[in-house]
Structure formats: structure tokens, C-alpha cells
């Protein structure tokens, strides 16, 4: 039986990843500062730890726990007698959220400090514990702002990352951490895999409170509305949105491949935010007027360039946006209307 450690397992993507790994037969330890909010964890062992503290990272990455300290109760379900390094470590833990959290500027210090500390701790301990391979989840937010000014023709090809000019401090931290993992790979022989996520969405994720991403926010607004829906900006900004199941598929394929990355994991089906509203309204069977209001919008255009992932992995996402939105809207609509 193989073992996996998922850091950030209380989050949206992490909780889905834990579920998939369990379906594959892994023994899985999940770690986060909180448990999943909208469903139970599927992990064999879920531990609440703040990964900004290096002692906590050491504890969770050691299968035997701290030296001289009692083992977690869940450890005794672990089917091996010898202390082994994890076969796969997935590092998704970060301080992040949607545009309302990332692009206001009010959270920049915490975003950079918290996420950088986590990655500094994880990559060092991965070398110490001789883990077999580490996946790091970067973000499309690290791409240069100047290549994303035209909403109809953004450039997010992997090779376009430099000269660097991310549009947010969140993007700068992601870029720094990419380089951090690659440096440890060069200097210490750590096997790393890096993906740049493009707007992952689906059920069981944050859908209210200010940290939700655009698809969840739009689904919530449509579910709550009968006549009008508010959209930040003019709604002509473009994005692509990837359903979480395909994100997980891409993560596993990349992690187990011979390709280091970084590589985009995202859909190349680009839509405007106004079109996102129209698709969601159609799914809901509603005719809603869009009211454009001031608010953080990020770059004008962003779309996943999938040439490299298709070349290196022989695979790229293909699920239509509307199919994923149907599943997401159905879940959020039930929560909004308590049915």
C-alpha cells in the first residue's frame, strides 16, 4: 500500500484530492488548520496543524510522529510497522481566496508571509525526510500582467513567465515558491512537480464570505436572485474555469510523470464574466439583468495555454464549462435555499 500526505486537505481542492487518493487505495494523511467545511474528510488520518510552524511540518511529515511523543490515535490504523517516507506529498496549503481577498491589497502581507513560511518549511522537511516526490500547486496569478491586458488574446504560455510581473502579491509569492522548489530539486535531488492552476471550481468549495472564486460567487448570486445580479467591473474580463475533477486528474498525471513542470492545469474554454453569468442563469432557468458595480477584477484576460501539458502528458482538460457549472450550481442552490 502506498502512502500520501496532503497538505491543505481541509481546503476545496485538497479535500477532493484526498478522496481520489483513497479511491486509488492509498493510505492518506490529511493536514490543515481546519477540517473540510462542507463534507467529511476521507483521510485515514486527519491532523489539525498550523504549517507555518516548522515543528508541525516535521511532525506531520514523519510517519512515526515526534520522537518520544505519543503517536496520534489514527496512526495505529497505519498498516506498516516500519517508519517510511511518504510516497507522494501534495502541497496545496496556502493563504488565498478569490478576487475579493487577493486583489484588494488589504491581505497582501498575510498572503505572502503565511504561504511563504509554509513552503519554506515543507520543502526543507521533504529533503530531511527523503520523501519520494512533492507536488506544489502554483497559480496562473504568477503570469505577467502585461501579457493579460487584452481580454481577447491573453498570453499564459508557460515560457511567458519571465520577465516577471504578476498582478498581485499572491502571484509574486507563487512565483517565489516555484523557484524555491526548483532550487531544492537542483541542490538536494528532491523530486518535484509544479502546476499552475487556472480557476478551479466545483462542489464542496467556498461559496460565500469573501474568499469564494467567481464561479461559486456567480452561482450563489444567481441562486439568490430573481431579477438582477451584480458583477464587478464591466464583465468583459475573460477567464477560463476548470472543474475540480479534471484538476485532480491533471495533478495525479503530472505528479507521477517524468515532467517536472511548471505546467498549466486549466481549461482553455475562455469566457467573459458576463457570459459566465448568462450560462449560470440558463442553468437556473432564470432571466436576470446584470448590474455592473465597482470591485476588484484582476487582469483583463486570462486563459490556460494547454500546448505544453498535451505535449508532455498526452492529456489536457476537456470537460465543457456548462457541465461543471450544472453540478456546482445544483450544490450551491441547495445550500442557498436549504433544500
Amino acid at each position: 500500500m502506498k502512502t500520501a500526505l496532503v497538505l491543505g486537505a481541509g481546503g476545496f481542492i485538497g479535500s477532493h484530492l484526498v478522496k481520489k487518493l483513497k479511491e486509488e487505495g492509498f493510505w492518506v494523511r490529511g493536514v490543515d488548520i481546519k477540517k473540510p467545511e462542507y463534507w467529511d474528510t476521507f483521510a485515514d488520518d486527519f491532523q489539525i496543524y498550523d504549517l507555518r510552524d516548522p515543528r508541525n511540518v516535521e511532525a506531520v511529515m514523519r510517519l512515526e510522529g515526534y520522537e518520544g511523543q505519543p503517536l496520534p490515535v489514527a496512526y495505529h490504523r497505519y498498516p506498516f510497522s516500519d517508519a517510511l517516507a511518504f510516497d507522494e506529498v501534495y502541497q496545496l496549503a496556502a493563504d488565498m481566496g478569490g478576487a475579493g481577498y487577493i486583489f484588494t491589497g488589504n491581505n497582501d502581507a498575510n498572503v505572502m508571509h503565511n504561504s511563504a513560511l509554509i513552503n519554506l518549511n515543507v520543502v526543507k522537511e521533504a529533503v530531511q525526510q527523503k520523501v519520494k516526490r512533492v507536488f506544489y500547486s502554483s497559480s496562473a496569478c504568477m503570469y505577467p500582467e502585461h501579457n493579460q491586458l487584452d481580454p481577447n488574446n491573453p498570453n499564459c504560455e508557460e515560457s511567458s513567465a519571465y520577465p516577471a510581473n504578476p498582478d498581485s502579491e499572491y502571484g509574486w509569492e507563487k512565483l517565489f515558491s516555484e523557484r524555491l522548489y526548483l532550487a531544492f530539486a537542483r541542490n538536494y535531488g528532491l523530486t518535484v512537480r509544479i502546476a499552475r492552476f487556472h480557476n478551479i471550481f466545483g462542489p464542496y468549495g467556498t461559496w460565500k464570505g469573501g474568499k469564494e472564486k467567481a464561479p461559486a460567487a456567480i452561482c450563489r448570486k444567481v441562486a439568490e436572485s430573481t431579477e438582477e445580479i451584480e458583477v464587478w467591473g464591466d464583465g468583459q474580463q475573460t477567464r477560463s474555469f476548470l472543474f475540480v475533477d479534471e484538476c485532480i486528474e491533471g495533478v495525479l498525471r503530472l505528479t507521477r510523470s517524468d515532467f517536472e513542470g511548471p505546467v498549466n492545469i486549466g481549461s482553455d474554454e475562455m469566457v467573459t464574466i458576463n457570459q459566465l453569468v448568462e450560462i449560470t442563469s440558463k442553468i437556473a432557468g432564470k432571466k436576470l439583468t446584470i448590474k455592473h458595480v465597482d470591485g476588484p477584477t484582476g487582469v483583463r484576460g486570462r486563459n490556460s495555454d494547454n500546448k505544453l501539458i498535451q505535449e508532455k502528458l498526452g492529456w489536457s482538460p476537456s470537460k465543457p464549462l456548462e457541465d461543471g457549472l450544472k453540478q456546482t450550481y445544483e450544490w450551491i442552490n441547495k445550500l442557498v435555499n436549504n433544500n
Side-chain angles (χ1 to χ4, degrees):
M1 182 182 292
K2 287 190 175 182
T3 59
L5 173 65
V6 179
L7 305 174
F12 166 51
I13 301 173
S15 63
H16 280 270
L17 177 58
V18 168
K19 182 176 184 291
K20 181 63 175 178
L21 289 166
K22 283 305 302 172
E23 290 171 355
E24 292 188 343
F26 276 71
W27 185 90
V28 182
R29 172 177 289 164
V31 181
D32 210 318
I33 202 167
K34 61 177 179 58
K35 285 194 171 182
E37 188 172 357
Y38 300 108
W39 58 349
D40 292 333
T41 182
F42 293 85
D44 297 279
D45 173 21
F46 193 100
Q47 298 191 24
I48 305 293
Y49 275 110
D50 185 338
L51 299 176
R52 293 173 297 182
D53 187 332
R55 296 169 299 179
N56 292 341
V57 177
E58 179 185 9
V60 301
M61 206 171 283
R62 288 181 184 274
L63 286 175
E64 72 272 22
Y66 275 126
E67 289 293 332
Q69 294 190 13
L71 298 174
V73 173
Y75 173 83
H76 299 290
R77 300 206 305 270
Y78 183 65
F80 298 99
S81 59
D82 297 328
L84 301 171
F86 280 101
D87 293 298
E88 298 174 358
V89 172
Y90 296 89
Q91 171 21 25
L92 292 86
D95 188 348
M96 59 86 67
Y101 186 75
I102 294 298
F103 297 122
T104 62
N106 297 329
N107 305 295
D108 288 348
N110 287 339
V111 165
M112 299 188 79
H113 174 267
N114 295 339
S115 296
L117 273 182
I118 292 170
N119 286 310
L120 287 163
N121 293 336
V122 168
V123 73
K124 179 182 178 183
E125 197 61 36
V127 170
Q128 298 278 59
Q129 298 305 319
K130 297 180 172 59
V131 301
K132 295 185 172 59
R133 58 184 55 205
V134 178
F135 169 84
Y136 170 61
S137 59
S138 185
S139 167
C141 289
M142 50 66 58
Y143 282 114
E145 183 176 18
H146 56 257
N147 287 339
Q148 301 172 87
L149 300 177
D150 181 352
N152 298 311
N153 191 34
N155 177 15
C156 291
E157 186 175 339
E158 289 85 351
S159 61
S160 73
Y162 297 92
N165 182 30
D167 70 333
S168 64
E169 303 298 357
Y170 172 77
W172 278 106
E173 187 280 323
K174 286 295 188 183
L175 188 60
F176 163 76
S177 291
E178 283 187 12
R179 299 184 68 93
L180 173 70
Y181 281 91
L182 292 172
F184 270 74
R186 290 193 306 273
N187 294 164
Y188 293 100
L190 183 65
T191 300
V192 302
R193 299 290 180 263
I194 300 173
R196 295 166 178 167
F197 288 167
H198 287 251
N199 300 306
I200 315 304
F201 77 100
Y204 305 105
T206 301
W207 60 281
K208 61 179 180 178
K211 283 194 171 185
E212 66 274 18
K213 298 293 186 69
I218 296 300
C219 284
R220 186 196 73 247
K221 291 179 180 181
V222 169
E224 293 172 340
S225 303
T226 57
E227 296 180 358
E228 185 179 77
I229 178 173
E230 289 189 349
V231 167
W232 290 344
D234 62 7
Q236 295 301 318
Q237 61 269 34
T238 55
R239 294 293 186 275
S240 64
F241 303 98
L242 181 66
F243 193 66
V244 64
D245 288 355
E246 288 204 299
C247 173
I248 300 304
E249 177 71 17
V251 167
L252 296 178
R253 285 173 177 263
L254 174 64
T255 301
R256 296 160 187 172
S257 75
D258 294 329
F259 181 53
E260 186 175 60
V263 66
N264 292 323
I265 292 185
S267 169
D268 57 6
E269 182 185 351
M270 188 173 71
V271 296
T272 66
I273 300 303
N274 288 338
Q275 288 173 325
L276 181 66
V277 173
E278 292 167 3
I279 296 169
T280 308
S281 299
K282 174 187 170 186
I283 291 169
K286 296 182 179 183
K287 292 185 178 180
L288 302 173
T289 300
I290 299 176
K291 179 183 179 181
H292 296 106
V293 299
D294 290 337
T297 59
V299 295
R300 286 298 287 170
R302 176 172 292 153
N303 190 29
S304 183
D305 186 310
N306 288 348
K307 293 190 295 292
L308 186 61
I309 194 171
Q310 185 65 51
E311 174 191 337
K312 297 297 184 180
L313 301 186
W315 174 88
S316 61
S318 60
K319 186 182 183 76
L321 172 61
E322 186 169 346
D323 291 355
L325 279 175
K326 285 178 181 177
Q327 293 176 248
T328 308
Y329 179 78
E330 179 181 348
W331 179 72
I332 291 177
N333 186 50
K334 287 180 178 178
L335 292 173
V336 168
N337 295 291
N338 296 313
N339 57 24

